[in-house]
Amino acid sequence: MLVGTGSEVWVCVDAAKRLAEDALTVRVVSMPCWEDFDDQDEAYQAEVLPGEVPTLAVEAGVSFGWDRWADDTVSIDRFGASAPGGTVLAELGISPENVVERAQALLDEVD
């Protein structure tokens, strides 16, 4: 499962398509607001993010807090990079290629 909050969702969708080429079924979840998701009942939360499914969050910010909802994150835990947005994101790993690599590594850990 791949989770994004906004601008990262397209990265998750693209990565999911690439993972599907390897016969993997991937759910993409858009979670724009942790607080709203947290307000939902536990049954709904478990339906959207089943605990037995490896979950990778993609966050164009810090990873802090994602451990509540995901097993691993692709995130940017530093600041100070300057360039056009797409260039910075790609250089810092917010790219479909990196998400595919990290998702496969997460699956390898689970297997």
Side-chain angles (χ1 to χ4, degrees):
M1 181 164 322
L2 302 174
V3 182
T5 60
S7 62
E8 308 86 358
V9 173
W10 77 269
V11 175
C12 295
V13 170
D14 195 345
K17 289 177 185 175
R18 294 171 190 220
L19 289 163
E21 292 171 2
D22 291 334
L24 295 171
T25 302
V26 180
R27 176 189 289 182
V28 174
V29 174
S30 174
M31 186 188 293
C33 182
W34 289 349
E35 291 82 7
D36 287 348
F37 188 71
D38 192 41
D39 285 343
Q40 305 304 310
D41 62 59
E42 288 183 22
Y44 176 79
Q45 291 176 10
E47 183 180 333
V48 174
L49 297 177
E52 67 277 1
V53 177
T55 303
L56 179 66
V58 181
E59 174 61 62
V62 298
S63 61
F64 181 77
W66 273 109
D67 58 328
R68 178 171 183 193
W69 307 112
D71 300 302
D72 193 10
T73 59
V74 171
S75 59
I76 304 171
D77 287 319
R78 66 183 197 93
F79 67 96
S82 180
T87 301
V88 169
L89 292 177
E91 288 295 319
L92 297 176
I94 308 297
S95 67
E97 297 81 11
N98 188 47
V99 171
V100 166
E101 192 174 304
R102 293 284 294 276
Q104 289 171 328
L106 181 59
L107 288 173
D108 289 344
E109 286 179 24
V110 174
D111 289 340

